[in-house]
């Protein structure tokens, strides 16, 4: 028996599911890397990646031109699919987590800030929408 074959008692669908989850994780990290490079090329300073608070996780927190930017990154085979995957519930969670993060800064909620949405499709090039939550 090969070490790649499932052992007795293991379900192949479970193995496939964990492989798919790992692929999604690495695709997400790659998309975030692409967006990090995009911000850095424009003078942004990455403050946090995958910052987690009580209210949830924020993919990227960047300081750019004196503004703290909370950026949600989505990757998908195409931009429309990625854009459609951002729900109102998720936006609310991101805003709550951002308020929590702002509480750690000297100016708190008086800090200049914005919410960006970065879409990365299969080409790997990010499309970053500034003040994206204004559109939802």
């Amino acid at each position: 028996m090969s070490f790649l074959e499932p052992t007795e008692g293991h379900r192949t669908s479970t193995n496939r599911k964990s492989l798919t989850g790992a692929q999604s994780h690495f695709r997400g990290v790659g998309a975030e890397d692409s967006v990090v490079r995009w911000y850095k090329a424009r003078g942004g300073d990455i403050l946090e990646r995958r910052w987690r608070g009580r209210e949830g996780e924020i993919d990227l927190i960047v300081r750019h031109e004196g503004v703290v930017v909370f950026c949600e990154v989505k990757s998908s085979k195409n931009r429309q699919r990625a854009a459609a995957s951002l729900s109102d519930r998720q936006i609310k969670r991101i805003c709550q987590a951002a308020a929590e993060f702002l509480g750690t800064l000297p100016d708190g909620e008086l800090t200049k800030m914005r919410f960006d949405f970065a879409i990365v499709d299969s080409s790997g090039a990010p499309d970053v929408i500034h003040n994206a939550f204004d559109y939802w």
Side-chain angles (χ1 to χ4, degrees):
M1 174 168 67
S2 164
F3 70 93
L4 295 175
E5 293 175 11
T7 58
E8 190 174 329
H10 285 90
R11 293 178 16 204
T12 307
S13 63
T14 302
N15 294 342
R16 225 177 273 130
K17 191 174 186 178
S18 64
L19 178 60
T20 303
Q23 289 169 332
S24 292
H25 170 78
F26 288 115
R27 188 172 30 253
V29 170
E32 287 173 11
D33 289 344
S34 178
V35 176
V36 163
R37 288 189 298 274
W38 188 91
Y39 278 110
K40 283 185 174 183
R42 288 154 182 79
D45 180 31
I46 308 304
L47 301 179
E48 297 282 345
R49 285 186 73 163
R50 295 191 177 203
W51 183 83
R52 180 168 292 283
R54 290 184 318 273
E55 301 297 331
E57 182 179 284
I58 298 174
D59 293 334
L60 295 174
I61 304 174
V62 181
R63 186 176 307 276
H64 185 248
E65 298 177 350
V67 176
V68 173
V69 180
F70 299 98
C71 184
E72 177 68 12
V73 179
K74 292 287 186 181
S75 66
S76 188
K77 292 181 181 179
N78 65 59
R79 295 183 190 287
Q80 291 79 15
R81 179 184 265 172
S85 69
L86 186 62
S87 68
D88 289 339
R89 182 174 170 212
Q90 192 172 23
I91 290 170
K92 182 179 178 182
R93 179 193 50 77
I94 292 166
C95 290
Q96 290 171 330
E100 184 179 350
F101 179 82
L102 290 172
T104 68
L105 300 179
D107 289 338
E109 290 189 11
L110 298 176
T111 303
K112 287 184 180 182
M113 57 160 227
R114 74 172 190 252
F115 293 93
D116 288 359
F117 182 47
I119 300 169
V120 181
D121 66 12
S122 58
S123 75
D127 182 15
V128 180
I129 303 164
H130 299 291
N131 293 311
F133 293 179
D134 290 347
Y135 300 106
W136 264 263

